Amino acid sequence: MAPLRDPALEEISEALHAAPGAETITRLSAIDAVRARILLAIEHRLYAPGEQLPPLEALAEGLDVAPITARRALETLVEDGALVRRRGRGGGTFVAASPPQIQDSAVNVFRADEDAIRLLIDQRCLMESALVAAAAERITVEECDDLEALVDAAEQATTWAAFHSADRRFHRRCAELSGLVEATSYQTTYEMLARYFLPYPLDRLGGSHREHRAIVEALRAGDGSRAATTTREHVGSLRRDMFMALPR
Amino acid sequence: MAPLRDPALEEISEALHAAPGAETITRLSAIDAVRARILLAIEHRLYAPGEQLPPLEALAEGLDVAPITARRALETLVEDGALVRRRGRGGGTFVAASPPQIQDSAVNVFRADEDAIRLLIDQRCLMESALVAAAAERITVEECDDLEALVDAAEQATTWAAFHSADRRFHRRCAELSGLVEATSYQTTYEMLARYFLPYPLDRLGGSHREHRAIVEALRAGDGSRAATTTREHVGSLRRDMFMALPR
């Protein structure tokens, strides 16, 4: 499926990125969006104090931005004292030992999008469960094997970016296997939501892999109802776990 | 479910009503939106040349606008020669015998939303089929009877407005019966799409009633897969029949 570049969809997407209630539609720059996502990851201890961040390229890929954008965002966060940079062997970029509570306007814009994000999660949840239910009625053994290979790829990922890429391919493939024309719209919803994903540490993703495997098992059994229920649980975990709902 | 008045959702909705690609977001006034919907209904022969329009109150209710808004829109269309008004017994508002082809900016804005409308239809299609599949697993005999009563109400409707109201209640009830929290998001999608509905003549709605009955039958049989498939066909007909796809 080609990436959606339709002007109407762009405007929907822009509205989703806008600060609700603002007099004018304020869209975050790519740098500010990365700042917000990293600050929120730190705030919610997805990155613990003192923890090393992934290499720049992996971070940029995981957040779907250019490396230059990620580098500039990191530089501003070093200036703010949220991150520290250490040179030499064992060096890199680390979360500060006691990162300051930053009242960041970019973070506030993200927080203000909470309701729109929940709408997107609910949309994805229902759309994806309908797609896998349809896929269960027509999927072949070989296609199930292909899906399982994508689950393996996600599980073997050593960076969040690699996980995110495998996860995206898994869900796209499930949608395609439904054979429904609506799969393209689902893809739009998935991609809108992906712009809000925070770079989870890999050790938080065990549940995701188990759920992916359970979806493939249900598809293999031709059990559309179970595939739908499992998908609902899988996407539903975003409602609990995405940044705005994480326990402080 | 309370109507959604969230600022973020309002902005999404505004984006959907905006002309894509426009430098600034141009939102149609309520009067212009009614103008556009009636002109499109005439263009696609949902209202035939010479046909009488429904009474003002019924038209306004069907289009979810205030009677004053509908009246002003009708007045501009009389001025343009698309409609004619006849006084006295047997009088009322009629489609002109040979309505002029109007290059109306409001119609153009509506047409320009075509891709966004298709996105909404696809979202509704998937979301609704997931909801009825879930409803099939828990619905009671009494709840099926209640749904059937709503289908009867839709079938007995003598105005498009009465049909539209019964249709809305039917789909809302199906969503609620799923017991899923995501039903509220579905409702948002349904309502966004409803703003684009054209006032179909009642004799075009036979298929809709049959599909509603088939959905209730599948729910009664506890057959989630069939309920989902039937719902997909029902909503999918919008993709063919809504104004932008109607054969000229």
Side-chain angles (χ1 to χ4, degrees):
Chain A
M1 271 171 280
L4 286 145
R5 281 280 150 259
D6 178 82
L9 302 182
E10 285 290 306
E11 287 194 5
I12 297 168
S13 159
E14 281 184 24
L16 282 167
H17 281 272
E23 284 298 310
T24 54
I25 290 184
T26 319
R27 187 168 172 183
L28 288 178
S29 72
I31 293 172
D32 281 344
V34 169
R35 263 182 73 84
R37 291 164 79 180
I38 294 176
L39 280 173
L40 282 162
I42 293 172
E43 180 181 318
H44 291 293
R45 304 291 172 114
L46 295 171
Y47 289 130
E51 184 174 335
Q52 183 167 14
L53 291 192
L56 186 70
E57 287 70 21
L59 191 71
E61 194 185 335
L63 297 168
D64 296 317
V65 296
I68 181 85
T69 304
R71 186 155 62 80
R72 291 200 179 146
L74 294 186
E75 282 166 1
T76 67
L77 291 168
V78 168
E79 284 166 26
D80 292 335
L83 301 178
V84 291
R85 188 157 289 152
R86 294 197 202 116
R87 298 190 185 277
R89 214 177 138 79
T93 306
F94 297 78
V95 179
S98 49
Q101 275 286 346
I102 296 176
Q103 276 301 324
D104 192 88
S105 62
V107 169
N108 292 340
V109 170
F110 247 67
R111 276 197 225 285
D113 283 355
E114 180 175 330
D115 288 333
I117 296 170
R118 285 190 199 281
L119 174 70
L120 282 173
I121 294 172
D122 286 355
Q123 283 184 341
R124 179 181 159 192
C125 201
L126 289 177
M127 295 170 81
E128 192 168 312
S129 61
L131 289 165
V132 296
E137 293 183 11
R138 63 204 302 277
I139 200 166
T140 66
V141 172
E142 290 73 27
E143 288 165 343
C144 287
D145 293 342
D146 290 349
L147 277 182
E148 197 130 354
L150 288 173
V151 181
D152 291 340
E155 199 161 47
Q156 285 154 19
T158 56
T159 64
W160 192 82
F163 164 77
H164 183 41
S165 164
D167 184 76
R168 174 178 267 151
R169 277 182 291 150
F170 176 81
H171 290 294
R172 175 175 295 200
R173 193 79 193 110
C174 283
E176 286 170 348
L177 289 169
S178 74
L180 300 180
V181 294
E182 296 91 353
T184 310
S185 297
Y186 157 79
Q187 200 59 35
T188 306
T189 301
Y190 180 98
E191 293 301 334
M192 279 190 193
L193 195 52
R195 298 187 199 178
Y196 289 96
F197 286 172
L198 300 185
Y200 277 64
L202 289 174
D203 59 14
R204 294 256 194 152
L205 296 167
S208 184
H209 303 316
R210 280 193 300 276
E211 288 153 4
H212 282 180
R213 285 204 195 285
I215 292 167
V216 178
E217 266 171 42
L219 290 172
R220 216 180 263 286
D223 188 340
S225 171
R226 179 151 57 94
T229 308
T230 310
T231 294
R232 241 171 3 241
E233 286 165 10
H234 176 57
V235 182
S237 66
L238 288 178
R239 204 180 299 109
R240 288 190 309 277
D241 296 344
M242 273 190 79
F243 69 88
M244 79 295 279
L246 281 170
R248 298 249 184 164
Chain B
M1 270 171 280
L4 286 146
R5 280 282 151 257
D6 179 82
L9 302 182
E10 286 290 307
E11 286 195 5
I12 297 167
S13 158
E14 281 184 23
L16 282 167
H17 281 270
E23 283 299 310
T24 55
I25 289 184
T26 320
R27 185 166 174 187
L28 288 178
S29 72
I31 293 171
D32 281 345
V34 170
R35 263 182 72 84
R37 291 165 79 180
I38 293 175
L39 281 172
L40 283 162
I42 293 171
E43 179 181 318
H44 291 293
R45 303 290 172 114
L46 294 173
Y47 288 131
E51 184 174 337
Q52 183 167 15
L53 291 192
L56 186 70
E57 287 71 23
L59 191 71
E61 195 184 335
L63 296 168
D64 296 317
V65 296
I68 181 84
T69 305
R71 185 156 62 81
R72 290 200 178 145
L74 293 186
E75 283 166 1
T76 68
L77 291 168
V78 169
E79 284 167 24
D80 292 335
L83 301 178
V84 291
R85 187 158 290 152
R86 292 197 203 118
R87 299 189 185 277
R89 216 177 136 80
T93 307
F94 297 79
V95 179
S98 48
Q101 276 284 347
I102 296 176
Q103 277 299 327
D104 192 88
S105 61
V107 170
N108 292 340
V109 169
F110 248 67
R111 276 197 226 286
D113 282 356
E114 180 175 330
D115 288 333
I117 297 169
R118 286 190 198 280
L119 174 70
L120 282 173
I121 294 171
D122 286 355
Q123 283 185 341
R124 179 181 158 191
C125 202
L126 290 177
M127 293 171 82
E128 192 167 313
S129 62
L131 289 165
V132 296
E137 294 184 11
R138 63 204 302 278
I139 200 167
T140 65
V141 172
E142 291 73 27
E143 288 165 344
C144 287
D145 292 343
D146 291 347
L147 277 181
E148 198 131 354
L150 288 173
V151 181
D152 291 340
E155 200 160 46
Q156 285 154 19
T158 57
T159 64
W160 192 83
F163 163 77
H164 183 41
S165 164
D167 183 76
R168 175 177 267 150
R169 276 181 292 150
F170 175 81
H171 291 292
R172 175 175 296 199
R173 193 79 192 109
C174 283
E176 286 169 348
L177 289 168
S178 73
L180 300 180
V181 294
E182 296 91 354
T184 309
S185 298
Y186 157 79
Q187 200 59 35
T188 305
T189 300
Y190 180 98
E191 294 301 333
M192 279 190 191
L193 194 52
R195 297 185 200 179
Y196 288 96
F197 287 172
L198 300 185
Y200 278 64
L202 288 174
D203 60 11
R204 295 257 191 150
L205 296 166
S208 184
H209 303 315
R210 279 193 300 277
E211 290 153 3
H212 282 181
R213 285 205 196 283
I215 292 167
V216 178
E217 266 170 43
L219 290 173
R220 217 180 263 286
D223 187 340
S225 171
R226 180 151 59 94
T229 307
T230 310
T231 294
R232 238 167 12 236
E233 285 163 11
H234 176 56
V235 182
S237 66
L238 288 178
R239 204 181 298 111
R240 289 191 309 277
D241 296 343
M242 272 190 81
F243 69 89
M244 79 296 279
L246 281 169
R248 297 248 183 169

